[in-house]
Amino acid sequence: MQIQNYIGGSLINPSSNLFLDNYNPAQGKVYSYIPDSEKEDIEKAYKAAKEAFPSWSKTTREERFRIMMKIADLIEQKHDELALAESIDNGKPVKLAHHVDIPRAASNIRFFATAIMHYASESHDMNGVAINYTLRKPIGVVGCISPWNLPLYLFTWKIAPALAAGNTVVAKPSEVTPMTAYLFSKICIEAGLPEGVLNIVHGLGVKVGAAITEHPGIKAISFTGGTETGKAIAKVAAPMFKKLSLELGGKNPNIIFADCDFENALRTSVMSSFANQGQICLCGSRIFVERPIYEKFKTAFVEKVKKLKVGDPNDASSNLGALVSKDHLEKVLGYIELAKEEGGTILTGGEQIHLDGELKEGNYLAPTVIEGLAFNCRTNQEEIFGPVVTIMPFDTEEEVLTYANSTQYGLAATVWTQDVTKANRVAAQLESGIVWVNCWLVRDLRTPFGGVKSSGVGREGGFNALNFFTEPTNVCIKL
Ligand code: NDP
């Protein structure tokens, strides 16, 4: 199967007519081909988006709502096809794609289609002297660049507010997981999205992503991905005064106090460590357990992790599927070696798993728990982004806050305690964009989403995203 770019409403080959291999990570085999696009393709996409902007930005919000709701309906109608495609492309268990990725992609579109109907701007009355009101105008052509871990989920999370606010878009999904973005372009055609309003260009980050970032006509970039890539984008975009929203890496702490609901903390920590093979930016990768329950928690946690099944993503009984690529598997295995060098003890996992038959070349890794590391070693400071967690005890609140806040990251944190006062106190002191108390990944799409420190700049979610994708003009009228 050959994937195509979606430019000016049509599915077309890249200018170079060259294609890259697209791998099925569960089998380690090439199963489709993706456009190896160039700067020239971004230029074509930009021109189409520019041409579409005057009309789309003036399209009534009711009409934008109607088209976006049609897109959401079509995602739901094609749910099974999309879930299977996501699983094959990414290696994640198909049941996860069924329950999380695809429903959330439809929700993203529906959420912002409805949000734009309720979006209002401010007015400031100066006691009879003058009145100010804020006009919120779409920016123009904007760029959306997304990663491979939650492909359609994160792709739609960016595109939906951009389109709802009246912008036209040049978007690039990860080259590692392009398939559902391609299927999504077909859905947009079927839903009657006008030509050029959304343009999807596939290819390498260093070519296609960089061309979006550098393009002088693309006035805003919404990016989700690694911190190093975020830095490279900021370096190019900042001197051009582009609006930037950067959702970057994390090294999230999971803090378990002795007075927690033990069973709930245990069950959820297994999930928050290993869901999607640990490849969710919000996964807790450092587990801190208060000393009085440390041994009990550790033993029960390791026992549960040992029971997780790593297997065929298409098998409903698999808890973990394959890691997204060979390169990524190597990177994660490298961190396990580093943890050993740093004095860590592998309590379970730590090695690649070789399955049989068609799956024998797949990128499988046993869920790994490591003990005995200092909070400030590299393993505990750098993002691994795989099925690897460290576990360590703590004695005081002050100590655990030092550990938790010690990394360059600050995306998400989880706190387990039945003491509400303590939960509030700790949440307020965590350097983190998101804090979950006695839960994980409970998401209300209206809330601000994003990180502090090297985890990002800006917030997505709800009206934050619509504010990002609009430019305010204050109009002051003398009375
Ligand atoms: P990358 O930063 O490698 O890639 C993200 C996207 O950027 C991809 O589409 C990539 O293309 C593209 N890209 C790569 N280089 C450039 C460049 N120079 N200019 C512009 N675009 C470029 O991240 P991953 O895909 O590896 O995703 C994993 C990372 O994403 C982790 O660090 C994770 O924490 C983070 N993440 C953050 C989230 C958040 O909300 N904060 C959510 C999910 C993930 P290509 O794939 O072709 O290289």
Side-chain angles (χ1 to χ4, degrees):
M1 181 175 185
Q2 201 150 289
I3 287 171
Q4 290 179 298
N5 289 331
Y6 170 50
I7 297 179
S10 305
L11 296 172
I12 56 173
N13 286 347
S15 320
S16 64
N17 225 16
L18 296 174
F19 289 79
L20 303 160
D21 292 339
N22 186 29
Y23 284 85
N24 169 340
Q27 300 184 350
K29 284 193 192 126
V30 174
Y31 84 105
S32 64
Y33 299 93
I34 111 158
D36 184 7
S37 306
E38 304 279 346
K39 216 172 175 167
E40 215 179 315
D41 300 291
I42 290 298
E43 192 53 43
K44 272 189 204 163
Y46 169 72
K47 283 199 176 120
K50 190 170 179 230
E51 217 164 280
F53 179 71
S55 158
W56 182 248
S57 58
K58 287 189 192 75
T59 299
T60 61
R61 54 187 70 206
E62 286 79 4
E63 179 63 2
R64 280 183 250 145
F65 164 86
R66 192 193 63 75
I67 295 173
M68 289 179 69
M69 293 299 266
K70 181 93 196 284
I71 294 174
D73 289 346
L74 286 169
I75 293 176
E76 277 170 359
Q77 275 170 34
K78 296 174 197 290
H79 178 278
D80 289 353
E81 180 196 352
L82 289 165
L84 184 61
E86 201 71 291
S87 168
I88 293 171
D89 214 26
N90 173 278
K92 66 178 69 206
V94 71
K95 71 177 175 203
L96 187 72
H98 265 289
H99 291 128
V100 178
D101 296 72
I102 307 309
R104 176 59 193 277
S107 299
N108 288 340
I109 304 279
R110 197 161 275 143
F111 176 81
F112 284 108
T114 51
I116 199 65
M117 301 292 284
H118 299 269
Y119 188 49
S121 61
E122 314 86 45
S123 115
H124 299 88
D125 173 25
M126 297 173 71
N127 297 324
V129 178
I131 187 152
N132 299 270
Y133 67 89
T134 311
L135 265 181
R136 284 216 163 254
K137 296 176 281 190
I139 297 169
V141 180
V142 299
C144 296
I145 304 175
S146 57
W148 49 255
N149 63 327
L150 299 163
L152 192 60
Y153 175 135
L154 288 174
F155 193 63
T156 49
W157 179 236
K158 300 186 166 307
I159 285 167
L163 295 180
N167 301 283
T168 54
V169 176
V170 176
K172 189 199 106 58
S174 171
E175 149 250 331
V176 185
T177 52
M179 189 55 81
T180 47
Y182 174 57
L183 299 175
F184 182 73
S185 53
K186 293 186 174 184
I187 286 175
C188 291
I189 294 170
E190 194 177 338
L193 186 69
E195 289 173 8
V197 168
L198 171 64
N199 304 276
I200 303 176
V201 184
H202 296 272
L204 297 170
V206 286
K207 282 207 269 186
V208 177
I212 292 176
T213 311
E214 286 162 9
H215 200 292
I218 299 179
K219 300 291 183 200
I221 310 269
S222 172
F223 169 79
T224 299
T227 293
E228 286 310 310
T229 316
K231 268 187 208 165
I233 290 175
K235 223 174 179 172
V236 176
M240 298 170 86
F241 304 110
K242 295 193 182 201
K243 257 185 136 175
L244 276 182
S245 166
L246 302 173
E247 299 297 334
L248 310 176
K251 188 74 181 173
N252 309 313
N254 180 4
I255 301 172
I256 298 167
F257 285 102
D259 65 352
C260 68
D261 169 349
F262 188 88
E263 283 309 317
N264 194 4
L266 181 66
R267 199 178 47 248
T268 310
S269 296
V270 173
M271 201 166 65
S272 68
S273 305
F274 300 113
N276 206 37
Q277 298 73 245
Q279 301 167 140
I280 302 181
C281 53
L282 305 165
C283 277
S285 53
R286 298 175 295 151
I287 306 177
F288 302 112
V289 188
E290 203 169 12
R291 183 105 41 201
I293 62 161
Y294 181 72
E295 286 302 325
K296 180 180 168 202
F297 186 91
K298 180 184 84 178
T299 308
F301 183 74
V302 170
E303 204 175 297
K304 266 196 180 305
V305 173
K306 280 185 173 157
K307 287 191 185 136
L308 293 174
K309 183 179 163 195
V310 178
D312 185 351
N314 207 14
D315 178 345
S317 68
S318 298
N319 301 109
L320 282 83
L323 268 65
V324 76
S325 67
K326 282 261 175 299
D327 283 353
H328 192 58
L329 173 68
E330 292 304 325
K331 178 190 150 186
V332 178
L333 282 168
Y335 270 108
I336 294 172
E337 283 313 304
L338 174 71
K340 289 184 201 159
E341 283 162 25
E342 291 184 318
T345 306
I346 310 290
L347 300 178
T348 183
E351 75 283 334
Q352 192 176 347
I353 291 183
H354 298 278
L355 299 177
D356 297 330
E358 283 212 302
L359 308 176
K360 76 174 190 299
E361 298 298 327
N363 316 320
Y364 301 94
L365 180 61
T368 301
V369 184
I370 307 172
E371 187 190 33
L373 289 168
F375 77 92
N376 55 359
C377 69
R378 276 185 60 204
T379 311
N380 271 328
Q381 293 291 313
E382 296 176 16
E383 185 184 44
I384 300 174
F385 214 56
V388 177
V389 288
T390 63
I391 186 162
M392 68 208 84
F394 69 90
D395 291 298
T396 65
E397 243 176 79
E398 198 186 7
E399 182 190 6
V400 79
L401 280 164
T402 303
Y403 293 171
N405 291 337
S406 66
T407 74
Q408 63 162 320
Y409 298 107
L411 184 56
T414 305
V415 180
W416 292 93
T417 174
Q418 309 234 43
D419 177 345
V420 151
T421 308
K422 180 159 64 184
N424 286 328
R425 191 169 59 230
V426 171
Q429 292 177 82
L430 282 164
E431 293 167 0
S432 185
I434 299 153
V435 178
W436 276 294
V437 176
N438 297 332
C439 60
W440 178 71
L441 210 56
V442 176
R443 289 279 293 118
D444 180 328
L445 302 189
R446 295 169 300 176
T447 58
F449 180 90
V452 300
K453 303 197 287 190
S454 301
S455 287
V457 178
R459 293 293 182 276
E460 297 183 322
F463 293 138
N464 294 291
L466 294 177
N467 287 345
F468 175 77
F469 282 116
T470 52
E471 199 63 85
T473 300
N474 185 66
V475 181
C476 177
I477 305 171
K478 177 98 173 64
L479 297 175

